Structure formats: C-alpha cells, structure tokens
Amino acid sequence: MLDIQKKQVVEMAKMAQQWGLCKHKAGNSSVRDKDTGYILVTPTTIDKSVLTPRDIVVMDINANVIESESGLRPTSECLMHIEIYKARHDVFAISHTHSIYATSFAVLNKPIPAIVYECAILNLKDGVIPVAPYGRPGTPALSTSVIDPILRADAILMEKHGVIGVDKEPYEAVLKSAYIEEMAEIYYHALLINGGKEPESFPPHELQSWAYPKEIKF
C-alpha cells in the first residue's frame, strides 16, 4: 500500500539524519497521500539508519492504524502530525527534527527573527520563526500547541523540544527544517558578535515582496 509514499518518508528521515538535524532515534517524518488522505509516518524507537519502507506506518486522519507491515507502532508524536494536516490543507509533508542551534532557541522559548532574506521561503507571516508553547511529547497538549504557530509559518520551534518544517513536497519539508537550523546558527553568531544586542531584521511585508526579476527574458 502506497509504496512510493513510504519510500518518500524513509528518504525524509534518512536525509534529516544525514544532514545532522537529528540523530539515531530522534525526530519523525510523515507524508499525507493526496488521494486517500492517509498519513504515512515513521515508527517509534527505530534508528533512522536502518529504516525501510515496510517500517512506515499508514494511518487515517482519526489516528487509526491502517497498515503496519513490520508490526511497529507509529511515532508517539503522530497526533501532532495529524493535527497539523487538519489545520493546514496545503501541507502534505512534515519534518520534525532536533537540530542543535534551533533547539537551543526553543529551550529559551525565543523566536528567531528574519535577519537574512532567505527566511522568505519559510512563509513567516509575522517576520519570525515562532515558538509553540511546551506540550509533553505524545500528548494531545503537544498536538494542539503547534497549531497557532504553524498557521503563521512553515517553520516553527517547539519549546524545550525541537523544530518542525512543513511543505507540499517531502524534500522541501526537510529543507525547511535545515533552513531553520541555518538561520538559528546565523542568529546565534550575530548575537555573539554584537555583544548580545539584537540584529536588525526584515519586516513581514519585505519578506513577502520578493518576485523573480522581470528583467530576465526567455
């Protein structure tokens, strides 16, 4: 069932690990199938380096397990994935990671301002990578905590926890998680160089004003 989508989820998980966004059994990934609405998610407590397509769990939007070829349970944070898909009908892939710099700001409950223009791809309606309030992993509280910020951005932090990137495409969702980490590292060094003083950041309207140069003709 949904073999292509299962492979996509495996690729997302392995990519996140290879890029250093999470290690071993940390983090989770999912894809929503456009035709059935089923959600394909990584299983709980399995090292991403040995993950295979048959390990991916298929669920419906009501958290019912439809298929688990390996007999594995879905990630305990699958409810969070489900609630994001319910809230964002434009989203078909979610990447949850625990990268070092971004998670450090999540620990401090500190949003990351848009200090470089590349933040424009993260769809930051308020000009910051927002922080979702703390919710214990695996609980409905965690699932609902991410909804307000994920309606305001495609990239968010989770207080005392980690990072979420969302997109229509699996690769782009992981890429957004990677961009969050890059922005967090730049922000950290900017604060360090500037003696703790906040650097200037872009207002939301500037981030939303980019367009491909009309001077380029085909």
Side-chain angles (χ1 to χ4, degrees), residues 2 98 168 170:
L2 302 173
H98 294 176
K168 293 183 292 186

Side-chain angles (χ1 to χ4, degrees), residues 9 17 27 30 66 73 79 111 141-142 145 154 163 172 175 182 195-196 208 213 217:
V9 178
Q17 180 160 302
S30 73
I66 304 300
R73 295 179 298 170
L79 299 178
L142 174 73
S145 73
D154 288 349
V163 173
E172 297 295 329
L175 188 61
E182 182 178 331
Q208 294 157 16
K217 299 178 176 61

Side-chain angles (χ1 to χ4, degrees), residues 35-177:
D35 295 326
T36 63
Y38 287 160
I39 296 163
L40 297 92
V41 66
T42 46
T44 190
T45 60
I46 183 169
D47 194 307
K48 306 305 185 290
S49 64
V50 299
L51 193 66
T52 68
R54 73 186 308 272
D55 298 323
I56 302 306
V57 182
V58 182
M59 308 181 71
D60 67 17
I61 201 72
N62 297 311
N64 297 305
V65 174
I66 304 300
E67 182 184 63
S68 178
E69 288 185 82
S70 296
L72 297 171
R73 295 179 298 170
T75 171
S76 62
E77 293 169 347
C78 62
L79 299 178
M80 176 185 75
H81 290 250
I82 288 172
E83 291 305 318
I84 292 174
Y85 287 127
K86 286 181 179 178
R88 290 281 304 268
H89 298 294
D90 60 320
V91 166
F92 290 90
I94 299 170
S95 173
H96 167 46
T97 58
H98 294 176
S99 55
I100 299 300
Y101 282 92
T103 302
S104 297
F105 286 107
V107 167
L108 297 173
N109 193 18
K110 185 171 178 56
I112 299 172
I115 58 172
V116 292
Y117 200 81
E118 283 74 13
C119 283
I121 71 164
L122 301 179
N123 190 27
L124 306 180
K125 290 182 171 61
D126 302 310
V128 298
I129 298 171
V131 185
Y134 173 74
R136 188 185 311 136
T139 65
L142 174 73
S143 306
T144 56
S145 73
V146 302
I147 299 307
D148 284 345
I150 208 67
L151 290 173
R152 307 298 302 168
D154 288 349
I156 70 171
L157 305 178
M158 304 166 69
E159 185 180 359
K160 297 180 176 65
H161 191 147
V163 173
I164 296 175
V166 302
D167 199 86
K168 293 183 292 186
E169 301 296 334
Y171 174 82
E172 297 295 329
V174 184
L175 188 61
K176 285 179 179 176
S177 291

